[in-house]
Amino acid sequence: RRFPPGTTYAEFAPQFTAHDFQPSQWARLFRQAGARYVVLTTKHHEGFTNWGSPVSWNWNSVDVGPRRDLVGELGEALRQSNLRYGLYHSLMEWFNPLYLADKQSGFKTQSFVLKKTMPELYDLVLKYKPDLIWSDGDWEAPDSYWNSTSFLAWLYNDSPVKDTVVVNDRWGQGCSCRHGGFYNCADKYRPGTLPEHKWEMCSSLDKLSWGYRSGMSLAEVMDEMSMLEELVQTVSLGGNYLLNVGPTKEGVIAPIFQERLLALGRWLDTNGEAIYESQPWRVQMENTTDTVWYTSKGPVVFAIFLLWPRDSSLRLSSPVPSPATRVTLLGYVGTLKWQKSPGKGMLITLPYMLPSPLPPQSGWAVKLEGVK
């Protein structure tokens, strides 16, 4: 919708009610979607906090709108579902007068950091003991302005989560892709080759937005195939996949998003063995007739393909088979016949029936034992 000039964020706060927010339903959905960790936006660049921050008077979810501690409620539900809890937090705030004054000074003053950003970060850690901190909003100023190093030193040495917490790489200008527990580099970042450092691909089901849009159309939502492709490509290159959904102001995850997440969960129920706790293999991807991505677990190699080959025979040029090689298809009972390819690699005969009685899904994984 178009809003009249001069409309402020403050006018939206009362409309944000979260009256249909059911944290246990969210947790169940994420569990069924195959998630291992969930990251909630505790505060975005407009500065509104989804918990009762003592330094965000009247601009938080306990004083205005929902009148609930959303960060705490979701945390409790996730922990009961055995999911790890990450907190997204924006260092900067677009309209905060303290931040704007610091910016005006060329970040020579630090009023905003000392009175707002840092107290909130410490508060989040002490109150909710997160497993992960997903920092953002850092790019306008150096890490010395944000006091990132002293916060991280406390986090890793003295905080209640010092032995378990992980963080990303957005802690000041120039940190991205260079410093951090795991790298995000950029939103929707896709490295072409295997990165040397642990990383995370952060993507969104709504192709045009990270937040909820009432005018979103079906064509603007990622389809199942694209979602699986991102997941598989990310994992084969050693990354974690963080998939975003923007909930409504009532606290509901739109049914189309639920449907996509559940489809991902069903796929992982069958193929998760090739994904969870896997490592990149010596070859990550090959473009023969169809694209194949590889993952591995110890001596076992998984070849994941998104399109079923026309003649039901899968050509793999990278694995070197031996007489002891055993090939199975995840979700299908029995072993598959294979032969050495003329040239190099192997030719696998897939079953003529699809491995699932459901309508053709996307993406299958072949498990290779005894290959090099």
Side-chain angles (χ1 to χ4, degrees), residues 137-150:
D138 61 324
W139 58 85
E140 291 188 343
D143 62 274
S144 53
Y145 167 73
W146 296 118
N147 286 354
S148 300
T149 44
S150 64

Side-chain angles (χ1 to χ4, degrees), residues 228-294:
L228 289 175
E229 188 174 5
E230 278 192 348
L231 167 73
V232 171
Q233 182 175 5
T234 298
V235 173
S236 69
L237 289 169
N240 282 13
Y241 189 46
L242 185 65
L243 188 55
N244 172 75
V245 291
T248 67
K249 61 183 189 292
E250 291 79 24
V252 171
I253 293 171
I256 187 64
F257 292 156
Q258 295 187 37
E259 193 272 339
R260 291 290 187 269
L261 292 176
L262 291 172
L264 187 56
R266 278 194 303 276
W267 189 84
L268 285 163
D269 283 342
T270 303
N271 300 289
E273 194 190 339
I275 299 293
Y276 296 117
E277 281 119 45
S278 66
Q279 298 286 330
W281 191 45
R282 62 174 172 83
V283 176
Q284 289 84 54
M285 178 197 134
E286 64 182 37
N287 244 331
T288 38
T289 38
D290 295 314
T291 305
V292 177
W293 281 280
Y294 291 101

Side-chain angles (χ1 to χ4, degrees), residues 354-366:
L354 290 172
S356 154
L358 298 166
Q361 56 184 77
S362 304
W364 296 267
V366 167

Side-chain angles (χ1 to χ4, degrees), residues 119-264:
E120 281 180 345
L121 264 179
Y122 283 94
D123 190 45
L124 281 171
V125 173
L126 294 170
K127 260 200 193 106
Y128 305 109
K129 305 182 177 52
D131 298 298
L132 184 155
I133 295 177
W134 213 103
S135 182
D136 196 18
D138 61 324
W139 58 85
E140 291 188 343
D143 62 274
S144 53
Y145 167 73
W146 296 118
N147 286 354
S148 300
T149 44
S150 64
F151 169 73
L152 291 168
W154 170 79
L155 185 69
Y156 282 119
N157 292 297
D158 300 309
S159 82
V161 290
K162 62 182 168 42
D163 300 323
T164 47
V165 75
V166 287
V167 304
N168 68 341
D169 57 353
R170 299 184 182 180
W171 296 97
Q173 255 167 6
C175 283
S176 215
C177 236
R178 287 179 52 206
H179 301 289
F182 62 90
Y183 294 170
N184 286 112
C185 297
D187 292 346
K188 305 189 183 184
Y189 173 69
R190 288 186 175 207
T193 54
L194 182 64
E196 287 180 4
H197 193 88
K198 186 63 188 171
W199 65 287
E200 177 190 74
M201 165 19 147
C202 169
S203 190
S204 182
L205 278 176
D206 178 350
K207 295 188 248 184
L208 301 184
S209 173
W210 297 89
Y212 178 77
R213 294 183 302 134
S214 56
M216 178 182 72
S217 74
L218 188 56
E220 293 161 346
V221 182
M222 259 168 77
D223 59 25
E224 196 177 325
M225 179 85 153
S226 324
M227 187 172 64
L228 289 175
E229 188 174 5
E230 278 192 348
L231 167 73
V232 171
Q233 182 175 5
T234 298
V235 173
S236 69
L237 289 169
N240 282 13
Y241 189 46
L242 185 65
L243 188 55
N244 172 75
V245 291
T248 67
K249 61 183 189 292
E250 291 79 24
V252 171
I253 293 171
I256 187 64
F257 292 156
Q258 295 187 37
E259 193 272 339
R260 291 290 187 269
L261 292 176
L262 291 172
L264 187 56

